[in-house]
Amino acid sequence: MTCDPSFYADTQRIFLLLHQRGLAYQAEAEVNWDPVDRTVLANEQVDANGFSWRSGAKVEKRQLKQWFFKITEYKEALLQDLAQLENNNAWPSRVTSMQKNWLGKSEGANITFKLDYEEPRHDKIDPITVFTTRADTLYGVQYLALSLDHPLVSQHASTSTELKAFIESARALGPEDKAGFVLPGIKAYNPLRYVAAGSSPANKPLPVYVAPYVLSEYGTGAVMGVPAHDTRDFAFWKQNSRASAVTRVIEPLIRQKRSSKPEAFTGPGRLNAACGLFGGLTSEQAQEAIVDTLQSASGQAERVERWRLRDWLVSRQRFWGTPIPIIHCDTCGAVPVPEEQLPVQLPQLPKGQFTSRGGNPLDHATDWLHTRCPKCSGPAKRETDTMDTFVDSSWYYLRFAQSAQKQEGTDFMPVDVYVGGVEHAILHLLYARFIAKFLSTTPMWSSVEAPRTTVEPFSKLIAQGMVHGRTLTDPDTKRILKPDEVDTSTPSEPKVQVTGKAAVVTFEKMSKSKYNGVDPGECLRKYGADVTRAHLLFSAPVSDVLDWDEEKITGVQRWFGRIWQITHDIAERTSRLTVPERASSIDMTKVQPAEAEMWKNVQQTIASVEQSFSTTYSLNTIVSDLMQLTNQIHRALADNSQNKHITPTVYHSIHTLLRLLAPIAPSFAEECWDVLHAHHSPHRAFQGGFPETDGSLETFHAQSQPCAVQVNGKLKFATNIQPPPERLSGEEQRDWVLKAAFASEEGKEAVRRSQGLWDVKYARKIIVARGGKTVNLVFDK
Ligand code: ANZ
Ligand code: ZN
């Protein structure tokens, strides 16, 4: 993608626009340095345990001058507009909630705790300020905890080898661990003790811990520990305090059964009697009241808003990437490359110069590096950092649409449907939203009237599920089996070669180490592209995980076989029939009931497939709808096997089926089309366009009758159903009516309300009377 020079130019133009508006800036920063790839990584590219997303190396911290995009300027818009995307589930909620967490807005307070030595001393200790979103729990504070990098901790570590050793080991543990180290000889005081009276829990001096679960980059790097109301604090307190009793200060608003296992009550609620003056307030009221009180009494509290989101570090010390269009001049500073000199391209490097992992080869490309300053023409140097490739991918969709429509500008925005893996839920999709919002305020976007930061680039997002592969494990050793360790003489029951025991079968993410990969090429060769595609679509809803089970592909093969067979059957019989040109010229009131039934099914299938393709994207149900229609056509032909002719309804039904099938199995649908027309068709299955309903469904709907459903003689619901087909009687008619009644909206609603109390399965007797107009279910009481 980044190889196209014109693509560079646009990425660089975007950079310069951001730069012009002060939204691209350079700053000295502590960066994540990947010592293997010798490059800086964005925070997002470092996993929870501090390892590189790409090389897997342990990431180090270094101070370097880096380029940033001020994505934080757009944080409110990025958060607010998620509401647009949550509407009608336009985006999967797991993605919007991941973005919400990533933006991480929290409204809370900074609260200051005074500190003192236990033994009287001359010097004083600086107070500790914590960030909390739950000021209402202040009476329940039982300790303070500091991050490993907190200044007070560093100060103590300089004189305590014990603490130094703890910090070392705690760094390796990571932020999930609940280890703690108590700072000896120090106590903290709850600021409420100055307003509290008597035996308030706020009067107890508090221990101060050092703990890896407190993050140094979040809030103030210090927390107030409330074991009774925070899960992490609860776990920490159990592990570190000898007096493990917790001080409960919040009670649920609605009386709940107290859980039998000891745990924190984390919800909001009402402050209890332990909270003095504040007792009886709700959490929300108390947060306000406590912060206000402390603020005016002693200045020990202030309201703050915190965001997790940081500015986007876009500098990369890699050769591959779009060069940052900046020239550094000793006199003029960082000067933007003038528009007419774009794109700044990467130099041709001699072979081998960038094959070894030796940092950024641009640093050594002297001819490219040395240039003239665009402002003063003095000697200057090019910026050697290239941009994070996420910058390119944050706008590429604009280019696709432009070239497809041979059009400049962005009138075609937003993208209707965007399909992408959930691994892009945060990085790519957040960056793309930011850049689209930014561009919509610039002349790069068509028709800018006013800054429109409410722009969203992707109206609908489908995060397709992963395909999981069949994984075989030895039940004894729990080891994953290699293909040559498996006895597959009975393919459906794989055995461990050496022990003869049945292998454990699971479906997991495909990976070389699990020997569960599937070669798509091989599958295509074996079954053909159409069968493979239909099987893929049929196996699971697009956004679910799909267990790739090759054995089940035979079902799809059989279905295609059936279509092939009926196509031939119809082709043979149609030669003796003149078929009306258009289906709409068949008078549905004159055909046999069974045929009318089939035509109704054709109409319903068109409507349902169209909806699946255009709004619900439930591609798997398209396949099952078409399978069902196939079976119906097959039955109609079988019922009619003595007849040398087929009816126009059947003829048009197969045509519709093939046209609906064409998007999923194009080659196969065209083959069948050819058979049907003895190779004389003036057009192809695809050319007629997508089939449209002929309006007859309404007529079918008009033919309905009321149906009242009773349980033990009491009316439960009434609905309208189609009259049962005349050919049915007795049990068949009974089942048909039951199915129709319970498939209706009223039926479904009644079942929901009954909460399983009268499941038809358990009825002792089912009476259908008056041609299906009343149904009575009899249950044993
Ligand atoms: C006391 C408290 C009581 C808290 C309670 C929660 C529940 P969000 O909402 O994600 O912003 N916290 C603050 N700084 C922290 C740090 N540097 N490392 C780890 N945890 C930190 O989380 C805010 C909450 O995270 C704060 O509210 C604080 O714990 C904790 F019943 O304060 B809370
Ligand atoms: Zn200059």
Side-chain angles (χ1 to χ4, degrees):
M1 192 154 54
T2 49
C3 299
D4 174 2
S6 73
F7 201 97
Y8 276 174
D10 280 340
T11 297
Q12 290 171 350
R13 241 171 241 133
I14 292 172
F15 180 98
L16 292 175
L17 277 169
L18 285 158
H19 189 251
Q20 219 173 45
R21 306 243 178 134
L23 296 173
Y25 65 94
Q26 210 178 9
E28 188 83 31
E30 187 183 82
V31 295
N32 303 304
W33 179 257
D34 178 335
V36 172
D37 279 355
R38 306 194 54 178
T39 185
V40 167
L41 300 174
N43 286 332
E44 292 86 334
Q45 293 167 340
V46 181
D47 71 17
N49 298 315
F51 292 94
S52 163
W53 164 82
R54 198 186 286 268
S55 73
K58 180 87 190 167
V59 171
E60 298 165 5
K61 297 281 181 196
R62 286 204 185 170
Q63 289 289 332
L64 276 180
K65 222 167 180 197
Q66 299 289 304
W67 286 96
F68 290 88
F69 287 171
K70 225 182 213 169
I71 186 173
T72 53
E73 189 93 355
Y74 281 72
K75 56 185 189 279
E76 275 295 353
L78 288 168
L79 181 65
Q80 295 301 324
D81 297 342
L82 285 174
Q84 272 182 54
L85 305 176
E86 279 167 343
N87 244 341
N88 303 321
N89 290 323
W91 280 34
S93 58
R94 61 183 167 147
V95 174
T96 52
S97 67
M98 278 161 92
Q99 294 224 345
K100 225 174 273 173
N101 287 337
W102 192 260
L103 293 162
K105 179 179 184 173
S106 57
E107 282 159 304
N110 279 348
I111 296 183
T112 302
F113 289 70
K114 293 193 176 144
L115 262 58
D116 219 340
Y117 293 107
E118 274 173 317
E119 306 292 330
R121 278 170 55 161
H122 291 300
D123 52 338
K124 290 239 172 299
I125 325 176
D126 287 339
I128 291 175
T129 298
V130 303
F131 169 64
T132 179
T133 47
R134 291 295 303 274
D136 56 314
T137 64
L138 189 52
Y139 277 95
V141 174
Q142 295 183 271
Y143 66 94
L144 297 188
L146 307 177
S147 76
L148 304 178
D149 304 303
H150 195 278
L152 187 66
V153 176
S154 314
Q155 193 188 318
H156 271 260
S158 63
T159 56
S160 160
T161 46
E162 234 181 310
L163 176 54
K164 230 185 271 167
F166 173 79
I167 294 173
E168 282 301 300
S169 65
R171 270 195 215 289
L173 293 173
E176 295 307 317
D177 200 272
K178 295 296 178 303
F181 181 97
V182 74
L183 290 179
I186 291 184
K187 289 290 169 217
Y189 294 97
N190 193 323
L192 282 171
R193 87 195 207 120
Y194 306 104
V195 291
S199 66
S200 165
N203 286 329
K204 257 181 119 176
L206 307 168
V208 179
Y209 288 89
V210 180
Y213 88 96
V214 183
L215 310 172
S216 41
E217 317 85 55
Y218 193 70
T220 59
V223 303
M224 57 184 222
V226 186
H229 300 292
D230 181 89
T231 313
R232 288 172 305 174
D233 296 351
F234 185 85
F236 181 83
W237 191 240
K238 287 285 159 208
Q239 186 172 324
N240 289 282
S241 165
R242 256 166 292 147
S244 64
V246 303
T247 309
R248 193 178 162 103
V249 292
I250 311 282
E251 303 298 336
L253 286 177
I254 303 163
R255 204 174 258 285
Q256 294 174 343
K257 251 200 270 163
R258 280 237 184 163
S259 146
S260 53
K261 65 175 178 333
E263 59 184 5
F265 168 64
T266 57
R270 198 178 291 286
L271 276 62
N272 65 21
C275 304
L277 315 164
F278 301 98
L281 296 186
T282 63
S283 286
E284 207 180 322
Q285 293 164 337
Q287 280 167 19
E288 298 273 311
I290 289 177
V291 173
D292 285 347
T293 306
L294 292 181
Q295 191 158 26
S296 54
S298 57
Q300 278 178 281
E302 67 173 334
R303 273 199 188 82
V304 287
E305 188 179 272
R306 299 236 165 236
W307 292 77
R308 233 190 116 215
L309 184 73
R310 296 285 101 103
D311 277 343
W312 175 12
L313 196 169
V314 296
S315 279
R316 293 293 178 276
Q317 291 68 44
R318 274 181 211 287
F319 177 74
W320 298 114
T322 305
I324 290 179
I326 290 285
I327 291 169
H328 295 282
C329 166
D330 283 342
T331 330
C332 315
V335 181
V337 173
E339 169 85 30
E340 62 278 7
Q341 286 176 28
L342 298 183
V344 178
Q345 295 199 53
L346 292 168
Q348 291 289 338
L349 291 188
K351 249 200 184 133
Q353 189 157 339
F354 48 85
T355 47
S356 66
R357 283 186 154 161
N360 185 355
L362 288 178
D363 288 336
H364 316 292
T366 29
D367 290 348
W368 179 87
L369 186 64
H370 295 284
T371 183
R372 300 250 143 224
C373 168
K375 259 197 193 156
C376 70
S377 303
K381 274 186 180 174
R382 291 189 186 282
E383 172 64 63
T384 57
D385 285 354
T386 55
M387 275 182 257
D388 181 359
T389 50
F390 278 118
V391 180
D392 303 298
S393 59
S394 66
W395 71 270
Y396 77 95
Y397 47 90
L398 297 174
R399 172 60 64 82
F400 282 169
Q402 277 169 353
S403 50
Q405 314 214 348
K406 302 229 176 341
Q407 152 182 21
E408 285 293 311
T410 52
D411 288 336
F412 45 80
M413 285 296 285
V415 174
D416 299 314
V417 185
Y418 195 80
V419 181
V422 77
E423 70 275 17
H424 291 305
I426 299 170
L427 305 178
H428 165 55
L429 289 171
L430 192 67
Y431 296 148
R433 292 180 61 221
F434 159 54
I435 292 296
K437 283 175 186 299
F438 167 69
L439 288 179
S440 75
T441 69
T442 72
M444 263 201 175
W445 205 265
S446 327
S447 63
V448 210
E449 292 115 30
R452 295 176 303 176
T453 56
T454 52
V455 159
E456 282 294 337
F458 313 127
S459 302
K460 166 95 192 162
L461 176 70
I462 296 176
Q464 84 276 16
M466 217 183 277
V467 180
H468 282 187
R470 196 155 170 262
T471 315
L472 302 174
T473 312
D474 185 328
D476 299 324
T477 62
K478 313 278 181 249
R479 210 171 44 78
I480 293 187
L481 295 162
K482 292 187 188 144
D484 61 5
E485 295 170 324
V486 184
D487 167 8
T488 51
S489 45
T490 327
S492 57
E493 289 161 28
K495 294 187 190 69
V496 184
Q497 191 80 262
V498 278
T499 61
K501 285 194 194 167
V504 178
V505 179
T506 52
F507 286 87
E508 289 171 37
K509 183 172 167 174
M510 292 187 189
S511 118
K512 280 198 192 110
S513 63
K514 290 184 186 160
Y515 313 103
N516 60 354
V518 174
D519 176 1
E522 196 179 300
C523 198
L524 295 184
R525 273 191 297 281
K526 219 151 125 195
Y527 304 101
D530 283 358
V531 172
T532 306
R533 187 184 307 103
H535 175 55
L536 256 176
L537 295 179
F538 181 49
S539 300
V542 269
S543 45
D544 285 10
V545 165
L546 183 161
D547 292 340
W548 180 259
D549 192 345
E550 202 177 303
E551 278 170 42
K552 293 201 179 122
I553 206 167
T554 50
V556 173
Q557 270 184 316
R558 239 179 288 126
W559 171 44
F560 277 27
R562 177 161 282 186
I563 297 177
W564 187 241
Q565 180 209 329
I566 60 184
T567 307
H568 277 85
D569 190 357
I570 291 173
E572 271 167 36
R573 297 204 237 167
T574 33
S575 48
R576 300 176 198 101
L577 168 91
T578 42
V579 175
E581 253 312 289
R582 293 168 50 81
S584 54
S585 50
I586 307 171
D587 182 354
M588 279 301 143
T589 58
K590 301 236 168 69
V591 302
Q592 296 291 312
E595 292 222 349
E597 196 57 29
M598 175 156 85
W599 192 246
K600 190 177 104 195
N601 195 353
V602 169
Q603 297 299 311
Q604 279 167 340
T605 307
I606 296 174
S608 142
V609 169
E610 182 175 340
Q611 194 183 23
S612 302
F613 270 129
S614 59
T615 47
T616 59
Y617 307 101
S618 57
L619 306 180
N620 58 322
T621 66
I622 295 179
V623 175
S624 54
D625 282 351
L626 296 182
M627 284 176 164
Q628 196 225 341
L629 183 59
T630 308
N631 290 340
Q632 197 175 25
I633 299 174
H634 181 254
R635 242 180 287 122
L637 285 171
D639 288 351
N640 228 335
S641 57
Q642 310 89 326
N643 198 333
K644 290 223 158 44
H645 304 314
I646 59 129
T647 62
T649 327
V650 171
Y651 182 81
H652 285 293
S653 300
I654 185 75
H655 275 85
T656 307
L657 173 65
L658 294 180
R659 282 160 66 200
L660 292 174
L661 180 67
I664 289 172
S667 316
F668 178 65
E670 295 296 356
E671 281 295 318
C672 292
W673 192 268
D674 268 351
V675 170
L676 213 49
H677 294 276
H679 304 276
H680 296 309
S681 170
H683 56 258
R684 325 282 326 155
F686 253 122
Q687 279 171 326
F690 197 80
E692 280 173 24
T693 50
D694 63 3
S696 61
L697 263 187
E698 282 77 62
T699 351
F700 287 117
H701 279 312
Q703 302 169 5
S704 68
Q705 65 177 35
C707 173
V709 177
Q710 306 176 342
V711 170
N712 291 345
K714 276 210 198 86
L715 179 70
K716 289 296 174 186
F717 68 93
T719 181
N720 282 308
I721 61 169
Q722 307 277 320
E726 269 155 26
R727 64 191 151 90
L728 301 181
S729 61
E731 277 192 10
E732 274 190 321
Q733 192 203 45
R734 187 195 71 189
D735 291 345
W736 194 98
V737 171
L738 263 187
K739 204 171 150 202
F742 280 93
S744 70
E745 279 314 307
E746 292 84 345
K748 284 189 226 156
E749 175 57 28
V751 168
R752 225 173 295 132
R753 261 187 288 124
S754 82
Q755 298 182 324
L757 275 182
W758 37 277
D759 188 330
V760 179
K761 276 201 299 272
Y762 304 116
R764 183 162 52 81
K765 215 161 146 196
I766 301 168
I767 307 150
V768 171
R770 303 200 302 135
K773 292 197 178 101
T774 57
V775 176
N776 197 358
L777 305 173
V778 182
F779 287 89
D780 292 324
K781 293 233 171 109

